[in-house]
């Protein structure tokens, strides 16, 4: 029988009302057998996540300061949910154990992990599902790196014979028995691992947005949601800062060919975004837009170098890049001309070594002219269909020309999955709106 792994983020489990929505979602589809919860997140914008409160308690405990009052807020949060839902469960024993552990051994990862642990207990009781402690099935090495093969085996053993289970997200245990967590937002990773281990048909990741949007809603009013995106396209957009999912959540499902469906707990009727493998057969789908998404990022600088006959000088580029390398600055893009070379770097990485880099490049290659231009934004237009559609690049530039936006840099990766352009930071929002108009609004049927 088909099965789904469903992960619910912190905002989906922030209070009793959200728990009810989650239970409705789980119960409305009998394939939703394995549930991975986060810790209670924010109920309103300046609320504090339980995970952050636990970090604070641990810090206080580590400095020998009494954390009773802070821990009481955490207790109240869970007890409030329990009594509101009317579930027959008490966490008093668990609270006492956590307090005792923090007093004797205040370890950060252990403290943070308790948010998911306790929430998992409550959710399992409310759903009437089995509780499987992530500490028994997610295995890290002594340095806190995930041991995927061991984990898959342990998950299979831990879930054997169970028809359903709640497995808390975010943490596991090292081979030496120490509790460790993934980085922040890591419940996404747990869900992905469980999906791989149980060979799920789909990994549903429930959050508070209806999937990925074609463009940032702070820039484009009411942008369309992306219905389907490939893992590769997602990687391009995520790199530019479009984040809904933890980066490490991709690999376990991608390698097993399991699609991820990003869904909205507050709007379960929305289809959300489906993330599918790169070789997914799109032929049955309606054609859709030429592009999948647009993302932009500020904070770049370009180092522009000019030297007559540069193209004849063997090793010129290598010497310049070596200077960046030895100063610990990585480069993002490097469009060049016959006698010019321009290298785009992250301004914050360049700043501390700016003068040194300039001096060393001068010394190494003796350019006719060198300058640094700050305030550059990079914009990526991403889409798997661009490869087979003529005129995409022309349309990108036509929209920039109509808006009188000066394009400072152009780059198209060999995969033809994206077109990268550099514009002044002040032009970024308008550039994104124009491209949205050109490809989304004007392609609407
Ligand atoms: N609760 C953890 C965090 O706040 C992990 C998660 O929510 O995925 O980062």
């Amino acid at each position: 029988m088909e099965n789904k792994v469903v992960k619910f983020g912190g905002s989906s489990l922030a209070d009793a009302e959200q728990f009810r929505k989650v239970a409705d979602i789980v119960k409305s589809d009998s394939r939703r057998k394995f549930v991975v919860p986060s810790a209670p997140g924010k109920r309103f914008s300046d609320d504090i996540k339980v995970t952050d409160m636990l970090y604070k308690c641990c810090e206080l405990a580590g400095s020998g300061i009494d954390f009773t009052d802070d821990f009481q807020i955490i207790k109240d949060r869970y007890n409030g949910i329990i009594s509101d839902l009317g579930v027959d469960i008490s966490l008093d024993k668990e609270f006492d154990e956590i307090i005792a552990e923090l007093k004797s051994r205040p370890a950060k990862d252990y403290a943070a992990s308790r948010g998911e642990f306790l929430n998992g207990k409550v959710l399992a009781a409310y759903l009437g599902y089995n509780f499987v402690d992530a500490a028994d099935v997610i295995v890290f090495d002594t340095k806190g790196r995930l041991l995927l093969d061991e984990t898959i085996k342990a998950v299979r053993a831990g879930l054997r014979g169970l028809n359903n289970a709640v497995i808390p997200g975010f943490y596991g245990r090292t081979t030496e028995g120490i509790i460790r967590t993934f980085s922040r937002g890591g419940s996404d990773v747990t869900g992905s691992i469980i999906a791989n281990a149980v060979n799920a048909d789909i990994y549903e990741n429930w959050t508070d947005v209806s999937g990925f949007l074609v463009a940032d809603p702070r820039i484009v009013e009411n942008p369309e949601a992306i219905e389907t995106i490939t893992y590769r396209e997602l990687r391009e957009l995520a790199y530019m800062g479009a984040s809904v999912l933890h980066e490490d959540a991709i690999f376990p499902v991608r390698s097993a060919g399991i699609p991820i469906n990003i869904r909205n707990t507050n709007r379960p009727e929305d289809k959300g975004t489906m993330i599918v493998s790169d070789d997914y057969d799109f032929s049955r789908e309606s054609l859709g837009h030429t592009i999948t998404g647009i993302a932009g990022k500020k904070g770049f600088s370009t180092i522009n170098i000019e030297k007559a006959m540069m193209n004849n000088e063997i090793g010129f580029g290598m010497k310049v890049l070596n200077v960046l390398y030895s100063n610990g600055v990585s480069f993002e893009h490097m469009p060049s001309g016959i006698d010019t070379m321009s290298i785009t770097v992250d301004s914050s990485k360049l700043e501390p070594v700016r003068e040194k880099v300039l001096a060393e490049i001068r010394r190494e290659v003796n350019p006719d002219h060198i300058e640094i231009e700050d305030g550059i934004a990079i914009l990526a237009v991403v889409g798997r269909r661009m490869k087979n559609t003529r005129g995409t690049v022309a349309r990108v530039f036509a929209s920039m020309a109509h808006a009188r936006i000066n394009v400072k840099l152009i780059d198209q990766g060999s995969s033809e999955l994206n077109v990268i352009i550099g514009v002044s930071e002040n032009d970024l929002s308008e550039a994104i709106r124009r491209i949205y108009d050109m490809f989304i609004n004007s392609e609407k049927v």
Side-chain angles (χ1 to χ4, degrees):
M1 175 169 164
E2 280 183 40
N3 74 65
K4 293 181 171 186
V5 168
V6 286
K7 180 258 166 180
F8 291 92
S11 58
S12 301
L13 292 163
D15 58 22
E17 198 192 324
Q18 293 300 88
F19 264 74
R20 284 193 195 98
K21 292 182 193 169
V22 165
D24 285 346
I25 291 166
V26 172
K27 295 289 161 89
S28 69
D29 184 341
S30 59
R31 292 169 299 179
R32 295 189 173 124
K33 290 185 199 152
F34 302 106
V35 184
V36 176
S38 281
K42 294 185 180 196
R43 293 159 292 182
F44 38 87
S45 68
D46 38 9
D47 196 12
I48 305 176
K49 291 181 176 186
V50 164
T51 309
D52 290 311
M53 295 197 268
L54 285 160
Y55 280 127
K56 185 172 175 213
C57 288
C58 181
E59 229 182 279
L60 294 173
S63 321
I65 302 172
D66 178 46
F67 58 91
T68 320
D69 290 350
D70 291 87
F71 201 80
Q72 187 59 44
I73 305 176
I74 299 172
K75 284 185 182 174
D76 291 345
R77 216 70 205 250
Y78 286 104
N79 287 336
I81 294 173
I82 292 171
S83 67
D84 219 334
L85 294 176
V87 233
D88 187 19
I89 180 180
S90 161
L91 295 176
D92 289 346
K93 193 171 113 289
E94 284 80 2
F95 290 146
D96 290 344
E97 274 167 18
I98 297 168
I99 293 171
E101 181 71 20
L102 286 183
K103 279 187 179 155
S104 64
R105 271 182 303 261
K108 230 177 132 195
D109 282 15
Y110 166 78
S113 74
R114 297 304 87 186
E116 271 69 11
F117 172 76
L118 296 169
N119 226 22
K121 290 255 164 179
V122 180
L123 186 61
Y126 187 49
L127 293 175
Y129 273 27
N130 300 292
F131 175 83
V132 172
D133 191 351
D136 297 333
V137 295
I138 305 288
V139 192
F140 292 105
D141 70 9
T142 51
K143 294 205 165 74
R145 288 172 302 209
L146 176 75
L147 295 170
L148 187 61
D149 292 344
E150 282 84 340
T151 296
I152 300 289
K153 269 192 220 129
V155 172
R156 287 186 181 151
L159 297 180
R160 190 163 301 134
L162 299 183
N163 195 25
N164 58 47
V166 170
I167 310 110
F170 193 37
Y171 70 93
R173 192 172 10 211
T174 68
T175 45
E176 287 177 336
I178 312 283
I179 297 286
R180 294 298 295 256
T181 65
F182 294 108
S183 57
R184 294 300 302 264
S187 299
D188 284 345
V189 189
T190 311
S192 176
I193 293 167
I194 305 289
N196 176 315
V198 302
N199 223 335
D201 296 281
I202 192 162
Y203 169 30
E204 289 179 350
N205 191 296
W206 291 81
T207 172
D208 52 6
V209 290
S210 296
F212 290 93
L213 300 173
V214 172
D216 187 336
R218 288 165 299 187
I219 297 174
V220 173
E221 208 187 313
N222 230 339
E224 281 186 14
I226 300 176
E227 240 176 72
T228 325
I229 186 170
T230 64
Y231 284 111
R232 222 186 276 152
E233 288 173 308
L234 178 67
R235 167 95 184 98
E236 300 282 344
L237 289 173
Y239 163 74
M240 296 298 292
S243 73
V244 173
L245 196 69
H246 192 296
E247 237 193 333
D248 297 341
I250 308 265
F251 177 70
V253 272
R254 183 179 186 171
S255 64
I258 300 168
I260 306 178
N261 190 191
I262 307 284
R263 299 286 294 265
N264 189 345
T265 301
N266 305 315
R267 291 181 56 91
E269 65 280 11
D270 289 354
K271 283 198 285 183
T273 299
M274 195 68 107
I275 310 170
V276 298
S277 64
D278 302 308
D279 51 15
Y280 181 80
D281 177 12
F282 286 99
S283 59
R284 283 159 300 151
E285 277 199 335
S286 59
L287 253 182
H289 299 296
T290 313
I291 66 167
T292 304
I294 315 161
K297 204 162 148 185
K298 292 183 179 176
F300 292 98
S301 303
T302 51
I303 306 172
N304 301 321
I305 305 171
E306 253 180 68
K307 186 172 185 186
M309 309 300 283
M310 174 194 288
N311 65 325
N312 283 337
E313 205 175 310
I314 292 173
F316 189 97
M318 186 198 73
K319 287 179 197 159
V320 173
L321 292 181
N322 236 334
V323 171
L324 292 178
Y325 168 71
S326 60
N327 282 283
V329 180
S330 68
F331 77 94
E332 311 279 331
H333 301 281
M334 192 177 58
S336 9
I338 302 288
D339 288 336
T340 61
M341 171 176 184
S342 120
I343 309 160
T344 311
V345 299
D346 181 333
S347 309
S348 65
K349 300 273 163 32
L350 177 66
E351 202 40 46
V353 287
R354 189 182 180 97
E355 293 312 317
K356 196 162 163 266
V357 164
L358 279 178
E360 286 176 20
I361 294 178
R362 281 199 187 99
R363 197 182 60 218
E364 287 294 323
V365 297
N366 193 22
D368 298 335
H369 181 74
I370 178 165
E371 60 169 24
I372 295 180
E373 188 178 355
D374 297 312
I376 307 282
I378 301 282
L379 192 159
V381 185
V382 177
R384 57 185 178 270
R385 297 191 188 91
M386 289 192 323
K387 196 171 178 153
N388 300 318
T389 318
R390 280 189 209 147
T392 312
V393 180
R395 288 168 75 195
V396 171
F397 291 108
S399 58
M400 294 300 95
H402 290 150
R404 298 186 170 279
I405 292 174
N406 184 20
V407 176
K408 294 172 180 288
L409 168 161
I410 308 163
D411 206 346
Q412 182 179 27
S414 54
S415 62
E416 287 184 54
L417 196 65
N418 60 7
V419 176
I420 304 271
I421 60 173
V423 296
S424 154
E425 285 182 346
N426 301 330
D427 289 331
L428 179 64
S429 297
E430 187 57 18
I432 291 178
R433 280 192 285 270
R434 293 294 182 134
I435 294 173
Y436 187 91
D437 268 348
M438 178 63 99
F439 287 95
I440 308 297
N441 288 338
S442 70
E443 285 180 2
K444 270 192 188 134
V445 276

